[in-house]
Amino acid sequence: MSIAFAFSYGLRCLGIGKNRSQSNARKTLIGAICGIGISLIPLVLVLVVSDGMISGITRRLIELDTGQIKLIKMRVKADENDGRHELALKQNIVDTFAQLSFFKNAWVERSGTGLIIGKDGRSGGTIRAIEKKFFVENDEAARLLKVYDGSSVIENDNEVLIGTKLAETLSLKVGDSCRILTMRTSDSGTSIPRLTTYTVKGIISCGYQELDALWVFISLESGLKVLHGSSSLTSVLVSTANPFDDKQFGTFTSNLTKSLPEDFALYTWKTLNRAQYTSFETTKNLLLFIMFLILFVASINISSALIMLVLERHREIAILLSVGTDANTITLSFFIAGMLTSFFGLLLGLPIGILLAINVNSLLRIIEKLINYFILFGYKLFNTIHDGLEFHILDPNYYLETIPISIDIQKILFIIIITFVLSAIVSIIPSIKAGREKPLDIMRKV
């Protein structure tokens, strides 16, 4: 079997090289190339966008909400509301793991709910009392946080940081005063309100409104006073170098668990966010499955084109077989033609898909603007009043305002391999059929 001849003949079947002839089957192969290329574009887009969205939301949940590791005292007595146990545990963790490069830092946080009263109304909010150096020493949290106005550093106990959505709802800006109403339960079981006045130090957002829409950050010292232990949760948040490194993270959490007092429980980010993270992954896998089905359908076009090519060249095949060409060589030639069709489809679709994925944020904004212009034009055309609502492909209330883009080479290679595998599967039968052609039968029909 001559591999060189098989490759050369496979190229000629695609119309590459000398002595090219007109061929309807070749046009079908070109159509198959375009089909594979077009099906790869949304596949790459879905992969990159879903990975970016899941990674971006997960990182924000880990760094700015639940923490990578959360340590909670399970049995809290009525007179243990000052956070002294958590502060002591934090210091013990820092002292124990300070020399370990995988360990970054630990912070104490008290969180609860309250009523925030602003200029133009009031709204419920999540009160998070953090250490004043939290956004200074926590580089990853600071990187994910965008300061729209003011500063993200709390210096005094009467200062507060609020989310952009809450600031908009209550018409608050930096320098304004707001009041926070919290409740505490007395020894007799009576609820006692407490009203505390704060000055807005900064307006912040992490780009994910579902997370930061009700954010209110105050200092830990103030939180220990206004958030009563019976109606709030005090915890120690532990940060590591890479929460996605399962091996090192697992080893670290195991060692950390051994050093904890018996009345403290350890929760990792995977445990705390399991439902949401599983939902993200399931949705992503479902979308990718649909995209791969589209790719499979596009690959079937290769089989159809090869069958047409075999029928179109049956005389040529008969001549080659009659002069001594090995049947396996003919089979390999058409198989190579099918694989080359897949290869050229990859050359067409992958670069376009990657290019669109890299610029997906700009692309989405352009599409949204065009659609909003058409909607506005429609309102004016029919002399109706515009409702002021803008169309969004990805609603910022539930998705990231800006999708983090990262091209995973391993997953791109996986797409390439899957494409070749699907093409190989659909090319086998027509290729074998070409090699089993009977020269005498073909000659009798001519």
Side-chain angles (χ1 to χ4, degrees):
M1 181 174 65
S2 174
I3 296 177
F5 174 78
F7 189 80
S8 175
Y9 187 63
L11 287 173
R12 202 173 79 176
C13 289
L14 289 174
I16 300 173
K18 299 179 180 180
N19 301 322
R20 291 182 300 174
S21 59
Q22 293 296 325
S23 170
N24 291 325
R26 187 179 299 134
K27 293 177 182 178
T28 308
L29 281 171
I30 294 173
I33 291 173
C34 295
I36 290 175
I38 292 171
S39 65
L40 282 170
I41 294 172
L43 176 58
V44 173
L45 271 172
V46 167
L47 178 66
V48 174
V49 170
S50 60
D51 274 350
M53 191 71 73
I54 292 172
S55 174
I57 293 176
T58 303
R59 284 193 174 276
R60 283 160 176 78
L61 288 171
I62 293 173
E63 302 296 343
L64 296 170
D65 188 35
T66 61
Q68 297 181 20
I69 300 172
K70 179 172 282 189
L71 309 176
I72 302 173
K73 187 175 175 62
M74 303 307 295
R75 296 183 295 275
V76 182
K77 297 179 181 179
D79 59 345
E80 295 179 341
N81 298 324
D82 55 2
R84 62 180 184 272
H85 294 284
E86 288 79 9
L87 289 166
L89 176 60
K90 173 216 167 175
Q91 191 57 50
N92 180 55
I93 292 171
V94 171
D95 293 341
T96 304
F97 298 98
Q99 303 303 319
L100 189 64
S101 60
F102 191 71
F103 169 74
K104 287 297 184 182
N105 212 331
W107 296 273
V108 175
E109 175 187 307
R110 174 169 285 187
S111 59
T113 57
L115 185 68
I116 299 87
I117 304 171
K119 288 182 177 180
D120 295 337
R122 58 196 67 190
S123 174
T126 301
I127 316 298
R128 297 184 58 189
I130 58 172
E131 296 185 51
K132 293 175 181 177
K133 293 183 178 180
F134 181 79
F135 289 121
V136 177
E137 297 178 347
N138 192 338
D139 297 335
E140 187 63 23
R143 185 184 68 80
L144 295 171
L145 198 70
K146 183 177 181 180
V147 181
Y148 283 85
D149 194 12
S151 171
S152 62
V153 180
I154 299 175
E155 296 176 338
N156 302 310
D157 291 346
N158 67 334
E159 293 176 342
V160 63
L161 307 176
I162 60 176
T164 53
K165 186 69 175 179
L166 192 60
E168 180 183 346
T169 302
L170 302 180
S171 299
L172 291 172
K173 59 181 184 294
V174 172
D176 288 346
S177 294
C178 66
R179 291 173 295 171
I180 297 178
L181 178 66
T182 54
M183 305 293 292
R184 72 178 183 87
T185 305
S186 65
D187 296 337
S188 61
T190 306
S191 296
I192 303 173
R194 176 166 184 163
L195 197 62
T196 312
T197 301
Y198 291 90
T199 301
V200 178
K201 179 67 180 294
I203 297 175
I204 58 176
S205 174
C206 68
Y208 183 42
Q209 287 188 19
E210 188 174 347
L211 183 61
D212 63 27
L214 302 177
W215 261 356
V216 177
F217 285 100
I218 59 177
S219 69
L220 179 62
E221 291 78 6
S222 177
L224 292 174
K225 296 176 184 176
V226 303
L227 295 173
H228 195 257
S230 60
S231 57
S232 63
L233 175 67
T234 307
S235 57
V236 180
L237 305 181
V238 181
S239 178
T240 65
N242 185 5
F244 300 100
D245 186 336
D246 293 336
K247 185 177 180 180
Q248 289 196 68
F249 191 76
T251 302
F252 176 78
T253 53
S254 177
N255 293 332
L256 180 59
T257 302
K258 294 175 183 177
S259 66
L260 290 179
E262 292 184 358
D263 53 350
F264 272 88
L266 182 150
Y267 298 91
T268 66
W269 67 270
K270 287 186 177 181
T271 302
L272 296 169
N273 300 292
R274 179 176 294 150
Q276 194 163 11
Y277 192 70
T278 302
S279 175
F280 290 155
E281 287 292 338
T282 302
T283 303
K284 170 191 166 183
N285 292 335
L286 180 60
L287 287 172
L288 288 176
F289 177 71
I290 295 171
M291 292 299 106
F292 276 119
L293 284 180
I294 295 173
L295 179 61
F296 178 68
V297 172
S299 300
I300 292 176
N301 290 331
I302 298 177
S303 180
S304 303
L306 287 177
I307 291 172
M308 288 184 62
L309 193 63
V310 171
L311 293 174
E312 192 176 76
R313 291 179 174 265
H314 66 284
R315 290 181 61 186
E316 194 173 289
I317 295 170
I319 294 171
L320 289 172
L321 290 172
S322 63
V323 297
T325 304
D326 187 28
N328 291 332
T329 301
I330 300 298
T331 298
L332 182 60
S333 297
F334 284 90
F335 184 77
I336 289 173
M339 298 306 292
L340 286 173
T341 302
S342 176
F343 174 73
F344 290 127
L346 282 165
L347 286 183
L348 174 66
L350 269 184
I352 297 176
I354 292 173
L355 182 64
L356 291 177
I358 292 173
N359 298 282
V360 68
N361 289 300
S362 300
L363 183 65
L364 290 176
R365 291 189 184 98
I366 291 171
I367 295 173
E368 287 175 351
K369 283 184 179 180
L370 289 174
I371 293 175
N372 283 312
Y373 283 142
F374 278 114
I375 292 174
L376 182 60
F377 176 76
Y379 275 104
K380 290 185 176 181
L381 183 64
F382 294 100
N383 293 318
T384 54
I385 300 174
H386 192 272
D387 57 10
L389 296 176
E390 291 188 352
F391 171 80
H392 293 283
I393 296 175
L394 298 176
D395 192 336
N397 290 318
Y398 306 102
Y399 299 97
L400 294 178
E401 294 174 4
T402 302
I403 303 170
I405 301 301
S406 177
I407 306 297
D408 191 328
I409 301 300
Q410 290 184 344
K411 290 181 179 178
I412 296 297
L413 288 174
F414 177 73
I415 290 176
I416 293 172
I417 292 170
I418 288 295
T419 304
F420 278 130
V421 169
L422 291 176
S423 300
I425 291 172
V426 299
S427 299
I428 288 174
I429 295 177
S431 301
I432 293 175
K433 178 177 172 56
R436 289 181 177 177
E437 291 284 354
K438 304 297 183 182
L440 291 177
D441 292 342
I442 295 173
M443 290 303 182
R444 290 193 190 100
K445 295 176 183 178
V446 176

